[in-house]
Amino acid sequence: MKLFRFVSTSGSPNRARATLALVLLLGATMLLGACGDTQTASQAGAAANPTSPAKTAKRYKMVALLKTLSNDYWQGMKRGYEEAAQALGVDLEILTVPTEQDADKQLEVLQVALDKNPDAVMISPISPTNLLPALAKASAKKVPILTVDDKLDPKAAKESNVTISTVIVSDNVQAGGLAAQWMVDNLKDGGKVALLEGKAGNPSGIDRKTGFSNLLGKDSRFKLVASTPADWDRAMAQKLTASWLQTYPDLMAIYAANDTMALGAMDALKAANKESQVTIIGTDGVPEVLQAIKQGRIKATVAQFPAEQAYIAIESAIKLLENRPVNSYIPAPIKLVLKEDVK
């Protein structure tokens, strides 16, 4: 029985959080979609987790460092942080950089923020190592560090004396596998497939590629003819897709490791009048892609829930500051969203 439908026009952290709480109560292992605002985020959290922090007596100062606000995904995470900070009584500084290519700038922004002595730091690093110099200083001061949506290189972090308190991230190998499984189950004739990778060296992108290519490679009907980084960028993905359509005129499917690149692939297919020929599956569940799924221009996306990740991050930071137990890894929910899931 389908309990919820994914609402394409909503970026509401309340809605995402309420949905997850209800699913947890039902014992589900994967988020089923987004429901109406029938209960507040704090009510949902209390129902799903009796030890979830209420509004704190002490007003903690926290920093949340995102990648960029040029992507709807990170805008959703920003909304989640804002709601959590208000609901839980936290002073929060949200920081970002212009693009997902600005790794050095992201380090500079974090270094300035740490000079203000925050109680906890939540980061979404552009690369597995770009923030380590600043994080080493935070660790030396015993400031809890939480990584959200992306991971640091564990070996490099250890060598830099960086201690990560917890990692809040979805299973990105599974995310790539969900996209490949849909193709295996539904594209019965098989054929040539291409993969738009994320930024080279990024752990999330690597894991999505691994999950997708490993599962697809088990089926001899499919051939992965191209797999190239498009740096999470729409214009770059459009150019790559246009080139692939020339090299492989019988290309039948594309998996994009994020929705921004899926939109770039969609743009290229429209220009080449091949939207009906090539199936696109993206990753993230941003509003523009959900609308494209509703219109039939993109087949599916492996949706993630950034607002919920942000809320969990602030809850976890409070627990750490109160010396309460927090798991070192907290899995974030994902779901393959198709046209029937969107209203």
Side-chain angles (χ1 to χ4, degrees):
M1 179 177 66
K2 189 171 293 185
L3 299 175
F4 308 115
R5 301 187 71 186
F6 199 99
V7 183
S8 64
T9 57
S10 172
S12 167
N14 269 345
R15 181 166 299 182
R17 185 168 172 74
T19 301
L20 179 58
L22 289 169
V23 172
L24 288 172
L25 286 169
L26 292 168
T29 58
M30 185 179 297
L31 194 66
L32 298 177
C35 64
D37 292 320
T38 57
Q39 62 183 139
T40 67
S42 57
Q43 289 171 334
N49 181 5
T51 63
S52 178
K55 204 159 192 172
T56 60
K58 177 180 177 180
R59 197 162 183 94
Y60 294 112
K61 294 192 307 179
M62 299 185 187
V63 168
L65 177 63
L66 307 180
K67 294 184 181 181
T68 177
L69 295 180
S70 63
N71 184 322
D72 283 344
Y73 183 82
W74 299 107
Q75 292 176 25
M77 186 171 289
K78 178 176 181 287
R79 290 191 292 271
Y81 275 128
E82 289 169 341
E83 181 184 302
Q86 181 178 5
L88 300 175
V90 168
D91 288 330
L92 180 66
E93 183 178 15
I94 300 176
L95 304 170
T96 185
V97 292
T99 76
E100 294 190 46
Q101 319 311 317
D102 294 324
D104 292 341
K105 180 65 176 176
Q106 193 187 38
L107 172 60
E108 293 174 14
V109 167
L110 180 59
Q111 287 171 326
V112 172
L114 290 175
D115 288 340
K116 301 175 186 177
N117 297 314
D119 295 307
V121 176
M122 296 155 289
I123 59 165
S124 298
I126 286 176
S127 87
T129 59
N130 70 304
L131 299 178
L132 291 179
L135 295 176
K137 296 178 181 178
S139 289
K141 296 179 179 180
K142 308 296 184 185
V143 176
I145 299 169
L146 300 85
T147 62
V148 185
D149 192 77
D150 244 319
K151 300 177 287 187
L152 296 173
D153 181 310
K155 181 179 178 181
K158 184 176 180 180
E159 291 173 349
S160 299
N161 296 314
V162 172
T163 301
I164 304 301
S165 299
T166 190
V167 176
I168 301 163
V169 65
S170 56
D171 186 336
N172 285 297
V173 173
Q174 182 191 16
L178 285 173
Q181 189 64 58
W182 187 92
M183 291 184 185
V184 167
D185 291 343
N186 293 276
L187 303 178
K188 300 300 185 182
D189 294 334
K192 295 177 182 178
V193 180
L195 169 58
L196 288 164
E197 302 174 27
K199 188 173 178 63
N202 177 270
S204 295
I206 292 171
D207 285 350
R208 291 169 194 172
K209 174 186 175 181
T210 298
F212 180 80
S213 57
N214 284 357
L215 197 152
L216 195 76
K218 294 178 181 179
D219 193 314
S220 60
R221 294 174 300 160
F222 295 87
K223 184 177 181 181
L224 187 61
V225 295
S227 182
T228 307
D231 291 356
W232 313 117
D233 184 75
R234 183 169 183 164
M236 189 177 296
Q238 181 178 2
K239 291 178 182 178
L240 270 174
T241 302
S243 174
W244 289 340
L245 293 174
Q246 293 294 320
T247 306
Y248 309 105
D250 54 347
L251 188 70
M252 50 80 68
I254 294 172
Y255 170 55
N258 84 342
D259 277 347
T260 302
M261 296 186 297
L263 291 167
M266 181 187 74
D267 295 339
L269 293 179
K270 180 179 180 181
N273 196 28
K274 288 194 172 185
E275 286 187 287
S276 62
Q277 172 186 315
V278 182
T279 296
I280 302 172
I281 297 180
T283 314
D284 281 344
V286 304
E288 188 174 356
V289 163
L290 295 174
Q291 185 64 25
I293 291 172
K294 186 177 179 180
Q295 295 168 349
R297 303 182 66 196
I298 290 177
K299 176 56 68 175
T301 183
V302 184
Q304 305 193 71
F305 300 85
E308 177 61 28
Q309 291 185 50
Y311 211 112
I312 292 170
I314 290 189
E315 285 185 327
S316 300
I318 292 171
K319 289 180 181 180
L320 288 164
L321 292 167
E322 294 177 346
N323 295 313
R324 296 163 64 183
V326 174
N327 290 337
S328 60
Y329 166 62
I330 301 174
I334 58 175
K335 174 185 165 44
L336 184 71
V337 174
L338 297 160
K339 186 174 183 178
E340 57 264 30
D341 301 307
V342 182
K343 69 175 183 180

